[in-house]
Amino acid sequence: MSLLDLSRWQFAITVMFHMTFPAITVGLSILLSILYGAYWRTRKPVYLQMFRFWRRVFAVGFAIGVVAGIVITFEMGLNWGGYAAKTGPVIGPIIGMEVVTAFFVEAGFIGVLLYGDGRVRHGTMFASTVMVSIGTILSSTWIIAANSWMQTPAGFVVRDGRFEPTDWLDAIFNRSFVWRWPHMVLAVLISASFFVAGIGAYYLVKGRALPFARRSVSIALGVAAILLPVQIFVGDHTAGAVLPYQLSKLEALEGNWAQPNTGFVLFAIPDQQAQRNLAELNIPCLGSALNKDLSCRTAIPGLDLTPKADRPDMAAVFWGFRVMFLGGLLMFGTVFYATILRLRRKLWTSKRFHRFLVWTTPVGILAILGGWTTAETGRQPWLVFGQLRTADAVSHLAPGEVVFSVVGFSLLYLAMLAAYIGYIVHTVRIGPERDWPDERRPDLDSVPLPSLIGGGMR
């Protein structure tokens, strides 16, 4: 394995590990804001119970995600020195804005979110929770802006081998960002919704904490039912913004090596070296139909249209897209059936559906990982599409050092992921019963401010 391949594997493992946590925590941060706002307004203890339980899951995932995100920044400079040197004038300020607008906001209010319950007034607690959720959204905004510029670069000139910005509006709001950002925000909200719904369904199956479970499942499925149709619309326009610019990605995700083929390749085992599929399941005419041609005459483009040196790895792009696409279909079918059950007043009595819903807990996360795999491997062999090749951006390091770091990072991330999953399982088994509010504690909103300052809460 070459130095380039090793560095790519190291970065891919780090990014995929990191993305697992924002796929949960961004949506959970917004859910926490909704739950605490509902408790503040209604004073119903069940909302505070839900807030405390989901905050516990959010906190650990947020911490691990931040740590993994910092590692990504270091890898950009260490393993991808050519990339950092050449794209620094554009990428550097964008990543810097994430630190200023996102990390500072989150760091300023995360302490109140985690430890302020029962210690500060409800308005302060709610405002801090909202600010943390705003910080998570800002973080995703700048990351998607940087990545979208790499997908569809704009607003720059190349001087002495470096990319220098000429128009920041064009660079940030490039042709793919305006669709990729809402696509990603919707994805993490839907992913968190299924995560919450799956865990809530577990308690429905077990017959535990039913008020908590019903509200968790109801809110999560309701949000997903609203957002999934919107996501289908946005996802289609995202493809329309990127794929015409990156035809090689379109050709690879379709799974065709050569034209003409009017079918849709549902399953394939691509052989990149031989430039063919070792095995495939092709549904005749479906590809043409998806392109709005029912006459079965519209051929799907093949990867042979792209020069061999510019072709991405078909297996990664093909299966990444299938995981995202099929995961999306599964989630859409789930919320569609859940809506029917809700209208028929059978949502809380259908035990089979509750058991099925438990198994869908990680589907949204897997769909996001599949989408990122499609986006990043489909851009290859370009780091900045059409402008900077990946091979020209890698640092010249000793292969042994990179092998050691790849193996070490893989083992460390595997252990951290296993620990996080174990923590979630442990938390779920304990349950939300311990989070029920102690009604004997005084309500800070009813205590005069001078009493608080004077030590009235001692």
Side-chain angles (χ1 to χ4, degrees):
M1 186 176 290
S2 67
L3 175 62
L4 174 62
D5 292 332
L6 287 170
S7 294
R8 287 180 63 189
W9 269 109
Q10 183 190 52
F11 197 77
I13 291 169
T14 303
V15 170
M16 296 292 273
F17 175 76
H18 168 71
M19 272 308 304
T20 301
F21 300 97
I24 301 171
T25 57
V26 175
L28 281 185
S29 69
I30 297 176
L31 174 65
L32 291 176
S33 299
I34 295 172
L35 292 175
Y36 200 84
Y39 168 67
W40 185 22
R41 181 174 180 273
T42 66
R43 292 298 198 274
K44 292 183 178 180
V46 67
Y47 289 119
L48 184 57
Q49 180 191 34
M50 294 172 67
F51 172 82
R52 290 174 174 174
F53 178 86
W54 293 115
R55 179 184 59 183
R56 191 173 289 113
V57 176
F58 164 83
V60 178
F62 178 85
I64 297 176
V66 169
V67 172
I70 294 173
V71 175
I72 293 174
T73 306
F74 278 99
E75 287 186 9
M76 286 182 178
L78 294 174
N79 290 74
W80 301 96
Y83 166 80
K86 294 176 181 180
T87 67
V90 177
I91 296 297
I94 295 177
I95 299 299
M97 286 301 296
E98 186 209 6
V99 175
V100 172
T101 64
F103 278 11
F104 284 6
V105 171
E106 293 168 340
F109 294 94
I110 189 68
V112 180
L113 167 62
L114 298 180
Y115 303 110
D117 181 21
R119 296 180 175 89
V120 301
R121 291 178 177 270
H122 293 137
T124 303
M125 188 70 185
F126 176 70
S128 299
T129 307
V130 171
M131 290 304 294
V132 171
S133 65
I134 290 174
T136 63
I137 295 296
L138 286 173
S139 181
S140 68
T141 302
W142 294 112
I143 292 300
I144 295 298
N147 187 265
S148 295
W149 183 83
M150 295 164 63
Q151 300 282 348
T152 53
F156 70 95
V157 294
V158 179
R159 293 193 180 100
D160 300 325
R162 302 183 74 199
F163 296 85
E164 297 185 4
T166 58
D167 189 324
W168 278 110
L169 287 178
D170 284 347
I172 295 173
F173 299 101
N174 55 78
R175 62 181 292 170
S176 63
F177 170 81
V178 295
W179 288 108
R180 293 184 79 232
W181 178 73
H183 183 54
M184 188 60 199
V185 171
L186 289 169
V188 294
L189 294 179
I190 294 169
S191 173
S193 295
F194 270 82
F195 182 81
V196 170
I199 293 177
Y202 170 81
Y203 293 117
L204 292 177
V205 173
K206 296 296 183 179
R208 293 175 53 190
L210 293 182
F212 168 92
R214 287 174 178 172
R215 280 177 171 82
S216 294
V217 172
S218 182
I219 293 173
L221 290 180
V223 169
I226 294 172
L227 296 185
L228 273 164
V230 180
Q231 178 70 309
I232 293 173
F233 172 81
V234 173
D236 183 63
H237 283 77
T238 301
V242 177
L243 295 182
Y245 187 78
Q246 298 182 10
L247 291 176
S248 56
K249 181 184 292 184
L250 172 63
E251 296 158 3
L253 68 83
E254 293 290 356
N256 294 311
W257 290 103
Q259 294 193 75
N261 177 26
T262 60
F264 178 80
V265 180
L266 184 63
F267 172 88
I269 303 177
D271 184 342
Q272 193 78 14
Q273 191 68 27
Q275 303 291 293
R276 66 185 183 90
N277 290 332
L278 299 178
E280 69 176 40
L281 176 61
N282 186 30
I283 303 176
C285 296
L286 181 58
S288 177
L290 293 175
N291 280 279
K292 302 176 183 179
D293 179 13
L294 300 180
S295 66
C296 199
R297 296 177 180 176
T298 301
I300 305 302
L303 199 55
D304 61 340
L305 297 176
T306 298
K308 192 172 183 178
D310 296 336
R311 296 175 186 174
D313 182 80
M314 179 182 282
V317 184
F318 178 87
W319 283 110
F321 177 76
R322 294 305 183 280
V323 170
M324 178 187 68
F325 179 71
L326 296 177
L329 287 181
L330 176 61
M331 289 186 288
F332 183 83
T334 301
V335 297
F336 183 80
Y337 185 66
T339 303
I340 294 175
L341 290 177
R342 192 192 294 265
L343 293 175
R344 298 177 62 186
R345 300 182 183 277
K346 293 183 178 180
L347 183 58
W348 310 123
T349 59
S350 179
K351 295 298 182 182
R352 289 184 179 179
F353 178 73
H354 298 160
R355 294 188 184 94
F356 172 78
L357 197 57
V358 172
W359 287 101
T360 65
T361 302
V363 172
I365 301 171
L366 296 176
I368 288 176
L369 296 180
W372 273 100
T373 300
T374 303
E376 297 305 287
T377 59
R379 189 183 63 235
Q380 298 301 319
W382 302 97
L383 209 52
V384 179
F385 191 81
Q387 302 290 330
L388 176 63
R389 285 186 176 271
T390 308
D392 297 330
V394 68
S395 299
H396 299 290
L397 303 174
E401 296 175 350
V402 183
V403 170
F404 177 79
S405 63
V406 170
V407 174
F409 277 29
S410 299
L411 294 176
L412 177 61
Y413 290 153
L414 183 62
M416 293 175 68
L417 183 60
Y420 183 62
I421 294 174
Y423 170 78
I424 292 176
V425 172
H426 177 70
T427 301
V428 170
R429 284 178 176 173
I430 293 176
E433 289 87 353
R434 62 175 171 173
D435 297 311
W436 189 262
D438 184 357
E439 297 179 358
R440 295 173 297 177
R441 297 186 64 177
D443 187 343
L444 294 185
D445 281 6
S446 65
V447 178
L449 185 59
S451 299
L452 294 176
I453 297 175
M457 291 304 295
R458 288 181 297 179

